[in-house]
Amino acid sequence: MLKTIIKTGVKPMQDPQFILPDERDLPAESASFLRWLWFFLRPYRKTFFMFTALRIVRFAVLAMMPFFIGITIKGFEEGWAMENPSRLMWMIVPYMVAYGLALISMGLFLNEAAMEDRLNRSMALFSVRHMNRLSLNWHESQGSGSKMQRITTARSSLKQLYNIYKWSLVPFVGSVIGIFASVILIDAPFYFLLLYAGFIVTFMAVGVYTARNLPKMHDRHNKMLEKLTARVYEFVGAVRTVKAFNMGAYIDEQAQRHEADAHFAMRDVFKITYFKWTVLNMTAFFWIVLTLGLCLSGMFGGWLSAGAFATVFFLMFNLWSRLEEMVYMQDQFLEYRNGFMRISETLREKPQMMDFAPAQSLPADWNDIRFNNVNFTYDGQKGHALHNINLIIPRGKTIALTGRSGAGKSTLVRMLMKQMLPETGTITVGNANLNNVPGHEWLNRIALVPQDVELFNITIRDNILLDRIDAVDEDLYQRALKHAALDELIASLPDGDATMIGERGIKLSGGQRQRLGIARAFVRDADLIIFDEATSALDSLSEQVIQTAMETAFAGKTMVIIAHRLSTVKHADNLIVMENGEIVENGGFAELLAKNGTFAKLWAMQSEHFIDGDAVAAQ
C-alpha cells in the first residue's frame, strides 16, 4: 500500500461495504413491488431518507421562483417597490441566496450516489448468493442465459427506478410543496389551490387508468427477452457445435422469429403509450384554458393583480411540466418495475436445506464412507433413482461404479458430493452423519474430474487454481502440471500458463481440457477424488495420462470412479455394478468376471466390440 501511495501520490480507496439484506426478511410470499424494493433498500434507509428530505427542500425552493417574480411585479405595479426598494430587496435577496445554495447543493449528493451504487450491487450480490444456494435440479431446469438475464435486467431496472425516484418523484413532491406555498403567499383566491389539486388528480388518474394494461405488456416482453436469450443466443457460446453442424442459418431464423415476437409485444406497449399521451394532452389543455379564463376574469374584475396573474399562470405551466415528467416516468416505472420483479421469481425459490443441526465436524481420521439403506426418487419420476443402497468406501481405496446409463451411478455420486440428500437412510463419513457435516467443510476435501471439464475464459493457471489463487503452494502447482502432462504444453505457449484459454476453454482440445481437470483436482490435495466418466471420450494418450495420474498422482487417496469403459477400472479395489438404482454386483474385476453375471456381459460386449442396442446403452 505504501508503494502505491508513493508511486501515484494518491491514497488507495478502501473497499466499499456492501450491506446485504437479511435472508430471513425475504418477502418470498409477497407479490408487492414496494415490499421487495424495501427489502433491498432497508440496510441503507438512513442515508436514503436523509437525502430524500434534502431533495424535497431543494426542489421546493427552486419551485418558488414564480412567486418571487410575482412579488416583484406586484411591487412595481402597486408602487411600493420604487418607494421602498429595501423592502423588495429583503424579500428577493434571501430567496436568491437560498436559490443559489439549492443549485450548488448537487455536490452534497455524492454520498447518495455512492449509496445508490452499493444498493444496486448489493442486490446483485444477494441474488447471485441466493442462486448459488439453490438445488442442482433447479439450475439444470433453467437456461443459463435466462438466469443471468434476470439478474442483469433487475440490476439495470433498479438503477433506473432510483433515477425515476430522485429525478422525477422527489422533484415533483418538492415542486408541489413550493407551488402550493406560493399560491398561499401570493394571496390568490383559495379556489386556485383547488384548481391545482384538480389538475394534479385528474392528470395522474388519466395517466394511471390509460396505462393499466402496461404491466402485463412489459411482463410479456421481458419473458420473451429471457426466452430469446435462453434459446437462441446461448448458441453463441457453443460455437464449435454451431460451426460443425452449419447451424448459422438455423440460429438466424430462430433469432429473427423470437425478435419478431418481442417486437410485436413492444408495439402493443407503444399503442397504449401514445393513446395515453393524447388523452393527457387534452386533459392539460382543459385545465390551462380554465386557469387562463379565471385569471382574465380576475384581472378584468379587479380582484387579481398582474403579479398574482403571472405567478398563478407560471406556476400552472411549472406544474404541467412536472406532471408530464411524472407520467413519462410512469411509463418507464412500469417497465422497470417489471424488470426488477423478474428477479423475485428466482428469489422465491427456497434453497434446499443441506446442513442439519446439530453440526458435526468432519473427522480428520475417518476410516470409511458408508451408504446405509439410502433411497432417493426424483420429482415426477416413477420408481427409485436409488433403492436400498448399502455401500462401504474404505479410505485410501479405489471404488469403480459401472452399469448401463440411468442405472443410478451419477445420482449416487451427487449424494456423495452432498448435492442431494437421501430421502431415507444415511451417509456417514467415519462416525459423522454427512447431513450434519457443513457442506463447505466436506466439499473442501473433495476433488472432481468430470467427463466435460468446465473451464472459464481466464488464464490456464487461474483455471487450475480457482479458489486457491491467493493461497497456492507453488511446489504443489508445479507437480500438478507435471502429473497432468501440461508442463510441455505450457512451455510451448508464448505466454505460458498466463495464456487465456477462451470461453469454455475453446482454445484447448478435449484431452488438454481433461488434463487441466486433473491438475485442478491435484492442487486441491483432497481426501476424496471423484472421476465422473473422465476417460470416456479421450484419445489413447490422454486416457493414459488419466490412468497414470490415478496410479501415481492420487496414490493413497480415496477414489470413486464412474466408468463405462471397463478397461480403465481393471485395477480398482472394488467394482460396484448398478441396475435400476440398485447394486446388483459387488467385487473385484476377476471375481465379477467369474460370476458370469451382469458385469461379465458388459465386459463381453466391450471386449468383443459387439454393438447392438444394449451395447450402445452400456457405452
Side-chain angles (χ1 to χ4, degrees):
M1 179 178 290
L2 182 59
K3 290 181 179 179
T4 304
I5 296 173
I6 294 173
K7 183 176 179 180
T8 64
V10 179
K11 184 178 179 180
M13 294 184 67
Q14 298 297 316
D15 290 336
Q17 296 300 310
F18 300 115
I19 310 173
L20 271 60
D22 192 331
E23 181 89 26
R24 293 171 295 182
D25 296 328
L26 189 73
E29 305 303 323
S30 175
S32 168
F33 161 74
L34 291 177
R35 284 196 63 186
W36 280 97
L37 186 62
W38 178 246
F39 172 69
F40 291 109
L41 186 60
R42 186 176 180 180
Y44 302 97
R45 60 189 180 277
K46 291 182 180 179
T47 304
F48 171 76
F49 285 127
M50 180 180 69
F51 281 103
T52 294
L54 184 59
R55 282 184 179 276
I56 289 175
V57 171
R58 178 177 185 269
F59 283 102
V61 170
L62 295 178
M64 293 185 71
M65 177 63 80
F67 165 71
F68 285 94
I69 293 175
I71 285 289
T72 304
I73 295 173
K74 183 178 180 180
F76 283 104
E77 181 186 30
E78 296 178 355
W80 57 262
M82 296 296 293
E83 296 172 1
N84 188 8
S86 61
R87 176 185 172 188
L88 182 64
M89 295 303 292
W90 277 110
M91 290 181 177
I92 299 298
V93 171
Y95 172 74
M96 293 309 297
V97 171
Y99 191 89
L101 291 174
L103 290 176
I104 65 173
S105 65
M106 287 303 298
L108 299 175
F109 293 97
L110 174 61
N111 287 333
E112 182 199 27
M115 179 278 290
E116 176 191 348
D117 190 66
R118 286 196 295 270
L119 166 66
N120 197 281
R121 296 178 189 279
S122 295
M123 185 277 293
L125 289 170
F126 180 88
S127 300
V128 170
R129 179 180 295 182
H130 182 88
M131 191 178 291
N132 284 335
R133 294 174 57 211
L134 296 179
S135 68
L136 189 62
N137 285 340
W138 181 85
H139 281 279
E140 291 178 341
S141 69
Q142 304 286 317
S144 59
S146 176
K147 289 184 290 185
M148 294 312 299
Q149 178 70 23
R150 287 183 187 180
I151 293 179
T152 301
T153 300
R155 185 171 184 167
S156 173
S157 296
L158 182 58
K159 180 179 179 63
Q160 295 302 328
L161 285 168
Y162 202 93
N163 282 335
I164 290 172
Y165 169 78
K166 69 181 181 181
W167 296 118
S168 183
L169 180 59
V170 173
F172 175 75
V173 173
S175 296
V176 167
I177 292 173
I179 288 169
F180 275 73
S182 297
V183 174
I184 294 171
L185 293 172
I186 201 66
D187 198 25
F190 178 75
Y191 56 75
F192 276 107
L193 292 177
L194 298 179
L195 196 73
Y196 288 125
F199 188 17
I200 293 171
V201 171
T202 55
F203 201 89
M204 296 302 295
V206 168
V208 171
Y209 180 76
T210 54
R212 64 192 183 280
N213 291 322
L214 276 177
K216 290 188 294 185
M217 299 298 182
H218 284 302
D219 187 59
R220 177 184 168 207
H221 181 253
N222 280 324
K223 286 179 178 178
M224 287 183 175
L225 283 180
E226 290 178 12
K227 183 178 179 181
L228 178 68
T229 303
R231 297 191 179 181
V232 177
Y233 293 135
E234 282 185 351
F235 280 114
V236 175
V239 64
R240 284 180 169 169
T241 302
V242 170
K243 293 291 186 183
F245 286 85
N246 192 29
M247 295 174 65
Y250 169 76
I251 294 173
D252 286 345
E253 186 273 330
Q254 290 289 306
Q256 183 169 336
R257 181 164 63 85
H258 288 300
E259 290 283 16
D261 289 341
H263 168 71
F264 285 115
M266 185 53 69
R267 284 186 61 140
D268 291 337
V269 172
F270 295 155
K271 289 178 184 177
I272 294 175
T273 301
Y274 282 93
F275 171 75
K276 179 185 76 173
W277 278 103
T278 300
V279 178
L280 284 172
N281 285 336
M282 296 305 296
T283 302
F285 180 72
F286 166 79
W287 288 102
I288 292 295
V289 170
L290 181 59
T291 303
L292 179 61
L294 288 174
C295 286
L296 289 175
S297 175
M299 290 285 290
F300 285 119
W303 49 265
L304 189 69
S305 67
F309 174 89
T311 299
V312 168
F313 216 68
F314 281 141
L315 289 175
M316 179 60 78
F317 274 96
N318 190 356
L319 182 59
W320 185 12
S321 176
R322 286 297 180 191
L323 282 170
E324 281 197 325
E325 289 178 12
M326 278 293 294
V327 176
Y328 172 73
M329 289 300 179
Q330 178 200 18
D331 293 346
Q332 294 186 312
F333 167 77
L334 292 173
E335 177 181 354
Y336 295 131
R337 181 186 69 176
N338 180 265
F340 171 76
M341 289 298 286
R342 295 296 297 153
I343 195 63
S344 69
E345 294 189 14
T346 297
L347 298 181
R348 285 192 185 100
E349 295 287 337
K350 295 182 179 179
Q352 184 178 6
M353 178 71 72
M354 304 300 288
D355 299 332
F356 290 84
Q360 292 180 277
S361 295
L362 182 67
D365 57 348
W366 59 270
N367 295 318
D368 55 38
I369 303 169
R370 292 175 180 258
F371 285 70
N372 307 298
N373 299 314
V374 169
N375 293 279
F376 182 80
T377 304
Y378 287 102
D379 291 340
Q381 180 177 335
K382 295 181 179 179
H384 289 286
L386 293 178
H387 179 61
N388 199 31
I389 298 295
N390 288 281
L391 173 65
I392 299 175
I393 305 175
R395 186 165 188 165
K397 300 297 183 180
T398 298
I399 305 298
L401 303 175
T402 190
R404 290 178 169 84
S405 296
K409 305 181 298 298
S410 295
T411 302
L412 190 149
V413 166
R414 287 183 176 184
M415 291 279 180
L416 184 58
M417 296 186 68
K418 209 174 178 181
Q419 294 173 341
M420 299 175 177
L421 298 177
E423 287 178 0
T424 59
T426 61
I427 303 173
T428 58
V429 183
N431 59 1
N433 187 330
L434 193 56
N435 283 3
N436 300 95
V437 175
H440 66 88
E441 187 176 339
W442 174 234
L443 291 176
N444 279 337
R445 305 311 307 160
I446 297 177
L448 172 69
V449 184
Q451 178 181 13
D452 184 14
V453 177
E454 293 182 303
L455 301 177
F456 308 96
N457 190 21
I458 52 181
T459 66
I460 291 176
R461 180 185 177 90
D462 290 350
N463 262 292
I464 292 172
L465 298 177
L466 293 181
D467 59 333
R468 283 157 167 73
I469 292 175
D470 297 325
V472 63
D473 180 331
E474 192 61 33
D475 178 63
L476 184 67
Y477 171 68
Q478 294 300 328
R479 283 189 286 129
L481 298 182
K482 184 174 182 180
H483 281 300
L486 284 171
D487 45 356
E488 292 184 7
L489 168 67
I490 289 174
S492 68
L493 298 172
D495 296 325
D497 64 357
T499 300
M500 301 291 289
I501 64 172
E503 187 174 3
R504 299 182 185 179
I506 195 171
K507 295 181 180 179
L508 301 180
S509 68
Q512 289 169 337
R513 291 198 297 272
Q514 206 68 31
R515 293 181 207 176
L516 198 146
I518 288 289
R520 180 186 287 175
F522 186 86
V523 296
R524 295 192 74 83
D525 193 25
D527 297 333
L528 172 64
I529 318 296
I530 298 174
F531 292 86
D532 189 355
E533 301 184 45
T535 63
S536 62
L538 297 182
D539 57 83
S540 299
L541 177 60
S542 296
E543 181 182 346
Q544 184 58 47
V545 171
I546 302 292
Q547 288 294 111
T548 301
M550 289 180 182
E551 296 169 8
T552 59
F554 302 112
K557 300 287 187 180
T558 308
M559 286 187 282
V560 174
I561 305 169
I562 295 180
H564 283 148
R565 192 180 296 181
L566 301 181
S567 59
T568 63
V569 293
K570 283 185 178 181
H571 303 294
D573 296 300
N574 199 17
L575 280 84
I576 309 299
V577 185
M578 299 188 68
E579 245 183 33
N580 299 321
E582 299 184 10
I583 296 176
V584 295
E585 289 182 346
N586 185 350
F589 189 88
E591 177 186 353
L592 293 181
L593 282 180
K595 285 184 178 180
N596 200 29
T598 302
F599 179 80
K601 292 178 182 178
L602 292 174
W603 173 253
M605 290 178 186
Q606 292 189 18
S607 60
E608 296 173 11
H609 305 287
F610 178 74
I611 300 178
D612 60 12
D614 288 339
V616 171
Q619 295 174 351

